Amino acid sequence: MQLSNNLKHLAGWVLLAVFFLCVPACAGVPQKGQALVAGRDMVWSAYDGLRREIYFSSQEKGGRWAEPLQLTNGNADNILPCVVTTPDGKKYVVWTAMEGADLAVHYAAFNGTAWSEAQAVPGLPELSTMPFVAVDDAGALWLVFVGNDGSHHDDIYCIQLQKDSWGKVLRVNAENDVPDVNPFIEIDQDGVVLVTWEGFRGNGYTLLTARWLGDRWSEEQALRPEEVEQLQQERRQAEEEPLPEFVEDRSMLFIRSNNE
C-alpha cells in the first residue's frame, strides 16, 4: 500500500480507502450535542470531462445550498477535499492534487471576500495525500496527511499554519516499516488535539490515535471497541446526508458545520 508503488492505482484505491476507514473521512459530523444546522460548508471532487476538480458550496439558514464554486482549474486531478472555518471566519479548503506520478497537498483560503489561488503546502514529503484539517481556538490550522519520501512506507504527518506561516512537519505515528494511512484530526472542547488513523499492525489494519502534548505527539494507542463503534455510527449518519441535486458524485465529499 505504499504510495510510491501504487501511483497508477491511486485514484481507485483512494476511493476504497476512504470508505474502508471507519473514521468519518467523507463528511464532517457535529460534536456531541450539536445538530446539523445552518451555517455549513461543503466541498467535493467531481469529474468535468477532463479531470477531477474541487467545488465549494455553503448552506444558508433556510437550508438552501448556494450554487457551487469551482476552486481548481489546472492540469491535476484534484481529490479528497476537506474544509474548515477559523474563529474569525476565514475558510480553508485542502485537497490532494495528483498530476502524473506527483502527489501534493494543495489549499485555498477565503478571507471573507474572495478565494485565493490554489497553491501547494510547502515543505511536505515528496508524495503527500489524504489531507484533513482542524482549527483550534487560537485560529491555528492543523493539517494532517499521509506522506512518503519515496524510500519508506507511508506515514502520518502534521503541520500547523499560524499567522500565514507554515511550521515544521512532524511525524505522528511511531517509526515503523508498515503503512499508516487515512488520518483524521479533531480538537475537542478542552482544546486537546487528537489524530486518528489506520495503521498496519500485526496481521492487519487497526484504528490508532495519538494526542498533541504541546511539543510532540504521544505514543500511539489502539482505539477501544466502543470508540470504533461511535466512529462507525458517525460514518453511517454522514452517508445518509441529503445532498443538493448539483452534487452528482458523493464519493469524495465533505460537509462541516461551522459551529464545530
Side-chain angles (χ1 to χ4, degrees):
M1 302 242 335
Q2 286 180 273
L3 298 179
S4 54
N5 293 333
N6 291 279
L7 288 173
K8 64 181 180 179
H9 303 298
L10 180 67
W13 175 81
V14 159
L15 289 175
L16 293 173
V18 171
F19 283 104
F20 175 72
L21 182 60
C22 296
V23 173
C26 292
V29 293
Q31 301 293 333
K32 291 182 179 179
Q34 292 181 338
L36 291 174
V37 297
R40 296 192 296 166
D41 295 323
M42 176 170 61
V43 286
W44 67 100
S45 173
Y47 185 65
D48 67 356
L50 293 175
R51 61 190 64 86
R52 297 193 72 96
E53 304 289 2
I54 302 299
Y55 296 86
F56 169 88
S57 178
S58 59
Q59 189 179 41
E60 302 170 352
K61 290 185 177 180
R64 177 182 177 274
W65 287 96
E67 288 301 310
L69 175 67
Q70 184 174 333
L71 298 183
T72 59
N73 186 21
N75 296 321
D77 275 305
N78 300 286
I79 57 177
L80 298 176
C82 182
V83 63
V84 73
T85 301
T86 65
D88 62 0
K90 192 171 185 177
K91 299 181 186 297
Y92 289 93
V93 175
V94 298
W95 65 89
T96 299
M98 182 172 59
E99 187 172 0
D102 294 329
L103 287 171
V105 175
H106 285 199
Y107 74 102
F110 180 72
N111 62 8
T113 303
W115 285 93
S116 68
E117 293 290 333
Q119 55 188 307
V121 178
L124 304 192
E126 179 181 351
L127 301 175
S128 299
T129 186
M130 296 185 180
F132 204 101
V133 284
V135 170
D136 62 26
D137 289 340
L141 182 76
W142 294 72
L143 166 66
V144 290
F145 62 96
V146 175
N148 192 310
D149 62 6
S151 61
H152 297 87
H153 285 275
D154 309 332
D155 286 309
I156 306 300
Y157 293 93
C158 183
I159 186 173
Q160 290 187 54
L161 176 65
Q162 299 187 54
K163 298 180 179 179
D164 297 323
S165 178
W166 290 99
K168 182 180 179 181
V169 175
L170 296 177
R171 190 181 68 236
V172 178
N173 60 271
E175 185 174 359
N176 57 50
D177 293 323
V178 293
D180 291 88
V181 294
N182 295 328
F184 169 79
I185 188 167
E186 61 181 335
I187 302 174
D188 68 18
Q189 296 179 349
D190 297 323
V192 178
V193 182
L194 299 167
V195 175
T196 304
W197 73 97
E198 190 180 4
F200 193 89
R201 305 293 186 270
N203 296 321
Y205 282 90
T206 186
L207 287 172
L208 303 165
T209 186
R211 66 176 58 204
W212 179 244
L213 300 178
D215 59 351
R216 68 189 186 281
W217 290 97
S218 69
E219 293 185 6
E220 62 186 44
Q221 294 182 341
L223 264 65
R224 300 189 302 271
E226 59 267 27
E227 294 173 320
V228 173
E229 172 57 30
Q230 179 182 344
L231 291 175
Q232 289 174 331
Q233 181 179 357
E234 291 173 346
R235 176 191 171 189
R236 289 191 292 268
Q237 292 174 349
E239 291 174 346
E240 296 171 356
E241 170 72 17
L243 299 176
E245 293 183 356
F246 56 72
V247 178
E248 298 179 356
D249 180 1
R250 67 183 302 159
S251 62
M252 284 186 280
L253 175 142
F254 185 96
I255 300 173
R256 171 169 269 154
S257 296
N258 291 330
N259 59 357
E260 289 190 82

